[in-house]
Amino acid sequence: MRHLRVPSAETQDWLALCRSSNWLLTTAGVVRLEGDFRGIPLVEHAPAEADLCWNGHLHIEVEGKGKGPVHWTERLPEALQELPKDTWPSAYEIQGDVLIVKLEGPAAAHGEDIAQAMLEQLPNIRLICADEGVKGDFRVRDLNVLKSRDETEHTRTRVREHGHFVWVDPAKAYFSTRLSSEREKTLTSIRKLRADLGRPLVLADPYAGVGPAFPLLFAEPGLIDGCLAGDLNPDAVELLRMNVDYWQSKRSDGPLKRTEIICADALLWSDNPNLREQADVLLVNLPHDSLDHLPSLLPLLRPGNPVMIRGWAIREREHLSEDTDALRQILSDNGANEIEVDLSEIKGFSTSKCFVAFECRFTI
Ligand SMILES: C[S@@+](CC[C@H](N)C(=O)[O-])C[C@H]1O[C@@H](n2cnc3c(N)ncnc32)[C@H](O)[C@@H]1O
């Protein structure tokens, strides 16, 4: 069970923070650890160890101090507990108060019992959904509601990303916590460009989804003064609008000078004269098509000064150096100079493919 490891003198402060943030696993107790440390049991959806909210304190896996069953399967009806342990899903995902689980093989016949056991074990979860794959043009998840704690069946919920709230709806719009550390790298790179240019920047994110790239950037005073954000999926855009309004309202140095929320095909943005040549930073997160879309997006960048692109793509692992050259070629074919390109694998995708992040700086 995941625990936050803290010096024992700080236990009460961290307990209070975890409780008020709904990150405390209330069915287990605080455990004593070696060297005058304590372990605070965390719920599954508590932010990952790398999140800044933990102030660098480690997360460790230790046996939970029982205050009742430590695993949801122990809450299944007794007859089901006789079945082999590998009948039951070993993983699930939590977004806010919604838990999403894949029911494969024999587990599929026991959805109701699984959902009931999970609701009993995880007090912060409202809705349990079975993940039936992806559907539609926007490849959002096909979710089947198994059980609700309070009869509400909607999947709109709020997650915390680097300490900031983000509205999401796993049945309607793409969102993944997996790029969380990449969002921190985006912040670092944008800080550097901002320092080099000596003024706040305008950011364009035409594949923004619900906008998880933004909260860190909105929260930093003086970093950006404009945000052009959009998505082709109208449901994502509705959440994006709610999120941007909220992050704007939380800014310590007042709202950004310019925000535009656009529901359109990113490939058509540059047909709009109000969007051409406006951005200092362009984010491109359409992993199967990022490189192919680039030429149509370059006219969005402001000419005459250094600009930056950060993008994410799924590529053949064997051909990453060719991809780096191809990126450089796309930029130079479209009039870019002083080109710096960095492309590297950030995680595996399949045996031959991997997920890469790329960052390009140039003038146009
Ligand atoms: C991989 S998701 C990334 C979302 C978001 N940037 C994030 O990190 O969570 C790609 C997004 O692009 C949107 N999309 C797909 N094709 C598009 C297009 N041609 N123009 C604009 N958005 C598009 C999808 O609806 C989806 O929300």
Side-chain angles (χ1 to χ4, degrees):
M1 184 186 292
R2 181 161 65 121
H3 288 73
L4 172 68
R5 177 178 171 275
V6 295
S8 57
E10 297 177 24
T11 310
Q12 290 311 319
D13 291 345
W14 282 101
L15 263 176
L17 178 94
C18 291
R19 196 175 289 117
S20 64
S21 308
N22 286 333
W23 299 334
L24 182 67
L25 182 65
T26 50
T27 48
V30 172
V31 293
R32 209 175 263 277
L33 301 171
E34 266 181 31
D36 210 19
F37 282 92
R38 296 286 183 273
I40 297 177
L42 298 176
V43 291
E44 300 277 344
H45 68 270
E49 185 182 32
D51 199 291
L52 298 177
C53 66
W54 302 119
N55 277 358
H57 290 309
L58 299 181
H59 286 188
I60 53 166
E61 285 294 328
V62 288
E63 199 177 325
K65 186 171 164 194
K67 271 192 187 172
V70 290
H71 197 268
W72 63 267
T73 49
E74 294 165 48
R75 297 186 184 261
L76 287 166
E78 262 173 41
L80 293 188
Q81 294 196 33
E82 305 291 307
L83 295 175
K85 289 230 175 316
D86 63 6
T87 306
W88 311 115
S90 57
Y92 49 78
E93 179 184 341
I94 290 177
Q95 290 192 14
D97 61 3
V98 177
L99 183 151
I100 301 162
V101 60
K102 271 206 171 81
L103 297 183
E104 284 163 334
H110 304 293
E112 280 250 342
D113 287 317
I114 291 173
Q116 181 60 38
M118 286 177 158
L119 283 177
E120 283 172 21
Q121 182 69 15
L122 303 164
N124 298 322
I125 296 301
R126 173 182 55 87
L127 194 69
I128 310 281
C129 299
D131 185 346
E132 318 248 300
V134 290
K135 62 171 183 200
D137 289 344
F138 305 120
R139 302 186 57 76
V140 292
R141 278 192 264 204
D142 189 4
L143 296 183
N144 174 26
V145 172
L146 294 172
K147 217 172 188 66
S148 167
R149 186 180 297 283
D150 61 4
E151 296 185 359
T152 59
E153 296 205 341
H154 65 87
T155 44
R156 182 177 287 188
T157 184
R158 223 158 56 146
V159 299
R160 257 179 193 272
E161 170 85 12
H162 298 298
H164 302 279
F165 282 120
V166 183
W167 282 107
V168 299
D169 188 333
K172 293 190 171 171
Y174 175 91
F175 170 76
S176 164
T177 49
R178 280 175 302 169
L179 282 185
S180 203
S181 57
E182 281 299 307
R183 291 172 196 135
E184 283 182 306
K185 290 187 200 155
T186 300
L187 171 64
T188 307
S189 298
I190 292 183
R191 272 186 188 144
K192 188 165 182 311
L193 182 63
R194 194 246 175 266
D196 292 349
L197 291 181
R199 59 165 172 77
L201 307 178
V202 174
L203 172 74
D205 186 355
Y207 310 92
V210 301
F214 301 141
L216 276 180
L217 309 177
F218 272 64
E220 179 135 327
L223 183 69
I224 55 172
D225 65 0
C227 175
L228 314 171
D231 201 281
L232 192 52
N233 174 358
D235 290 320
V237 171
E238 187 185 334
L239 295 158
L240 175 64
R241 193 163 275 126
M242 287 165 60
N243 284 327
V244 166
D245 284 351
Y246 178 71
W247 300 322
Q248 279 273 59
S249 73
K250 293 280 165 198
R251 276 173 56 81
S252 60
D253 56 344
L256 300 184
K257 274 196 205 142
R258 179 179 181 197
T259 51
E260 289 204 30
I261 309 294
I262 299 141
C263 188
D265 185 341
L267 295 173
L268 304 179
W269 275 34
S270 58
D271 292 347
N272 179 343
N274 293 326
L275 298 177
R276 280 179 84 90
E277 301 189 352
Q278 302 295 307
D280 304 295
V281 178
L282 173 66
L283 304 182
V284 185
N285 187 2
L286 192 63
H288 291 280
D289 300 302
S290 289
L291 265 62
D292 294 339
H293 280 212
L294 264 191
S296 308
L297 302 171
L298 291 173
L300 303 174
L301 290 165
R302 208 195 286 255
N305 282 312
V307 288
M308 183 175 84
I309 298 177
R310 269 182 67 74
W312 295 270
I314 292 162
R315 309 298 296 173
E316 291 288 338
R317 191 175 281 108
E318 273 193 8
H319 301 299
L320 296 189
S321 69
E322 285 99 314
D323 284 339
T324 308
D325 295 342
L327 259 174
R328 196 177 282 281
Q329 194 62 47
I330 291 170
L331 297 174
S332 102
D333 288 350
N334 286 276
N337 299 301
E338 299 162 65
I339 303 169
E340 290 167 30
V341 173
D342 177 58
L343 178 146
S344 52
E345 173 170 353
I346 51 174
K347 59 182 173 169
F349 182 73
S350 65
T351 43
S352 64
K353 292 188 174 184
C354 63
F355 206 82
V356 300
F358 57 89
E359 183 168 318
C360 316
R361 266 188 70 152
F362 50 95
T363 38
I364 205 158

